[in-house]
Amino acid sequence: MQIYTVEAILLVFLILITGCIIYERDLLSAVMIYCAFSFGAVLLYLMMGSPDVAFTEVVVGTVSTIFYVIALKKIDRWCK
Amino acid sequence: MQIFFLVIMAALIMTIGLMLQRLFQGPTIFDRMNGLGVITADTILLIVLFGFLDKQPGMYVDLAMAYAMMGCLGSVVLAKYLGGKKL
Amino acid sequence: MIFGFNGQEIIACLLMGAGLVFLIGSMVGMLRLPDYYSRVHASGNSETLGTLLVFLGLMVFNGFSNVSAKIFIIAVFVFLGNPIGSHILAKAAYKTGHPVWTKKQAVQHELSTEPTSSIATAEEKEAQANADLHG
């Protein structure tokens, strides 16, 4: 029974993070919040009982954050 | 013993919730990265405790190991990006 | 001493309780401390120690098996990774001139945001603050 309550908390956590990414003006901050989003997604995949998908999500989440930061290094970092 | 795992998981989820406030509202990028570091450490703990909650931690512990290795890469890359030549 | 647990679980409970204390301590530190540099202490040091203690409790709870060996490896990586991440960020922040919080600056900020009606008390507070600093 405890599984479902923790899963509900995580879903709310993910929706909160997505909303905040949309309203973020600073690109670099949006990338950082995206990294937190990938943590939540990993936990959610785990709760649904699929460790292999969670493994790829760990690697994809971390490496894509690094690529975003490197891409931001090239273009001008537009922030408020 | 299950109750003890649930107590620690509740404390971790509360910590992550509070760190979200720091992550969203933090004035500078460094405050946000600070919150992110705390969330990384908490997620690793949450995964391992979650494995013990299901009584078969074998599946979850490997994932936490991957996370522990990859966890701090974001901080290092961002510090190198923000530090520039001076770092 | 069976209070619903055997000896091994009691030790695991004690270790995890200690870990929990440090985790709560670091959370309070993260919320209360005024500046980035002071908050890095909370997230870099006590968070890592809390995590290590909880992992130690889990290893005791699990006895000798490959799972507890993996938990030990995780503890080693967290013990290495977390402080490194915090340190390199704090160094980058310092090198790029992130403002350092000082008590004098906080007092001035407090003075500037005070309502204008109590001008008289502002001078006394300023004097007291200076005396406090030099004292």
Side-chain angles (χ1 to χ4, degrees), chain B residues 4 31 34 42 61-62 72, chain C residues 16 39 43 47 70 81 95:
Chain B
F4 205 76
D31 299 324
N34 206 1
D42 278 359
V61 170
D62 303 340
C72 291
Chain C
M16 282 200 266
R39 273 197 294 269
S43 84
E47 180 88 28
K70 284 176 187 164
K95 281 277 167 51

Side-chain angles (χ1 to χ4, degrees), chain B residues 46-66:
Chain B
L46 216 59
I47 290 175
V48 176
L49 282 173
F50 201 74
F52 275 92
L53 206 63
D54 282 354
K55 294 185 183 55
Q56 27 110 356
M59 169 168 98
Y60 296 89
V61 170
D62 303 340
L63 191 73
M65 209 170 7

Side-chain angles (χ1 to χ4, degrees), chain B residues 13-32:
Chain B
I13 288 176
M14 196 174 63
T15 307
I16 288 183
L18 290 174
M19 283 308 122
L20 278 184
Q21 189 263 343
R22 173 64 55 194
L23 196 68
F24 294 157
Q25 176 252 346
T28 66
I29 189 69
F30 292 111
D31 299 324
R32 290 198 169 100

Side-chain angles (χ1 to χ4, degrees), chain A residues 20 29 32 39 46-47 51, chain B residues 24 32-33 50 59 63 67:
Chain A
C20 183
S29 315
M32 284 309 120
F39 294 153
L46 265 179
M47 277 176 209
Chain B
F24 294 157
R32 290 198 169 100
M33 274 314 290
F50 201 74
M59 169 168 98
L63 191 73
Y67 236 141

Side-chain angles (χ1 to χ4, degrees), chain A residues 2-3 9 13 20 24 28-29 32 36 39 42-43 46-47 51 54-55 58 62 66 69 72-73 77, chain B residues 6 13 16 20 23-24 32-33 36 39-40 46-47 50 54 59-60 62-63 66-67 70 73 78 81:
Chain A
Q2 307 102 341
I3 304 295
I9 295 172
F13 166 77
C20 183
E24 189 58 52
L28 204 53
S29 315
M32 284 309 120
F39 294 153
V42 165
L43 280 174
L46 265 179
M47 277 176 209
F55 245 108
V58 164
T62 312
I66 293 171
V69 171
L72 273 180
K73 203 174 167 66
R77 175 183 160 215
Chain B
L6 277 177
I13 288 176
I16 288 183
L20 278 184
L23 196 68
F24 294 157
R32 290 198 169 100
M33 274 314 290
L36 202 63
I39 288 183
T40 307
L46 216 59
I47 290 175
F50 201 74
D54 282 354
M59 169 168 98
Y60 296 89
D62 303 340
L63 191 73
Y67 236 141
M70 303 271 292
L73 236 54
L78 188 91
Y81 163 66

